[in-house]
Amino acid sequence: QGSAESLMKVIENATVLSKLSIGENITKDKMDLVPMLMDMESEFSSPLATASMSLKLQLPKSLIVNANPIISEIPKNYLSNAIKYSGAGGSIDLILRKEDGKATLRVEDEGPPIPVEMRETIFKRNVQLEEENKRGRGLGLAIVKRIATEHDAVVGIEDSPKGGNSFYLKF
């Protein structure tokens, strides 16, 4: 049952992504981000364990935004990248809170900080920072930006208090 539901989510997300790629509007409804983010803990338990990393959730009881379920691809991408590029050990913080009146999601890691001059560039298609450190196709963050744009949201990177990167999504 769980596998079937997971497969259906993949198919739904693929449909939404195809709509985004051809410029169609996607449907958005009131959505509580907290249950979606709580699911990330179990969804990423295996890669986190493999990397000897921990995930710390800092979530309110509820935070409602107007969104499509495809929005879950943003924290998934951020977490996946944090695991890939932070190296073994350490922790990742997944934070959701109101900042300056905006619903803000942050994924903070302890990895090498991304140079300020590259922070906008990596949200473009087929851009990767280091030739010898490639671990993907350079599409993930471009998709993240497209999903955020469709939600009138902003994505970006700031310095993390942990010494690494703080990838954010602001509604």
Side-chain angles (χ1 to χ4, degrees):
Q1 180 70 22
S3 294
E5 288 172 8
S6 181
L7 181 58
M8 286 304 295
K9 283 181 186 175
V10 168
I11 292 169
E12 287 169 20
N13 284 348
T15 303
V16 172
L17 283 172
S18 69
K19 284 182 178 182
L20 285 174
S21 69
I22 60 172
E24 279 188 38
N25 289 331
I26 57 173
T27 59
K28 297 179 237 23
D29 292 305
K30 298 247 179 265
M31 177 179 170
D32 189 350
L33 295 177
V34 174
M36 173 195 74
L37 295 173
M38 290 176 79
D39 287 346
M40 305 277 165
E41 200 166 28
S42 61
E43 188 172 337
F44 282 86
S45 63
S46 180
L48 284 162
T50 300
S52 300
M53 299 179 86
S54 64
L55 177 63
K56 297 176 186 167
L57 301 178
Q58 298 175 34
L59 309 173
K61 289 189 192 302
S62 175
L63 206 155
I64 309 284
V65 296
N66 200 34
N68 181 286
I70 193 73
I71 203 75
S72 69
E73 292 303 311
I74 294 176
K76 286 178 186 177
N77 186 283
Y78 285 172
L79 284 169
S80 176
N81 284 347
I83 293 167
K84 281 192 277 190
Y85 296 106
S86 290
S91 67
I92 300 168
D93 293 340
L94 178 58
I95 304 162
L96 180 65
R97 62 182 173 231
K98 288 274 189 176
E99 290 179 6
D100 302 321
K102 295 179 181 175
T104 303
L105 167 73
R106 290 184 178 277
V107 174
E108 297 184 346
D109 64 39
E110 297 173 346
I114 294 170
V116 174
E117 65 274 8
M118 292 297 296
R119 290 182 179 175
E120 283 191 39
T121 306
I122 64 170
F123 285 95
K124 295 181 178 158
R125 289 179 81 133
N126 301 317
V127 172
Q128 294 174 311
L129 291 182
E130 299 170 11
E131 221 24 68
E132 70 275 1
N133 219 5
K134 283 188 178 182
R135 293 187 179 102
R137 290 181 219 86
L139 292 173
L141 291 175
I143 292 169
V144 157
K145 184 160 179 85
R146 183 71 181 101
I147 293 169
T149 300
E150 185 63 29
H151 284 84
D152 297 319
V154 178
V155 291
I157 308 163
E158 296 172 339
D159 291 330
S160 164
K162 300 167 70 106
N165 301 291
S166 179
F167 283 81
Y168 62 81
L169 165 67
K170 295 181 182 184
F171 286 91

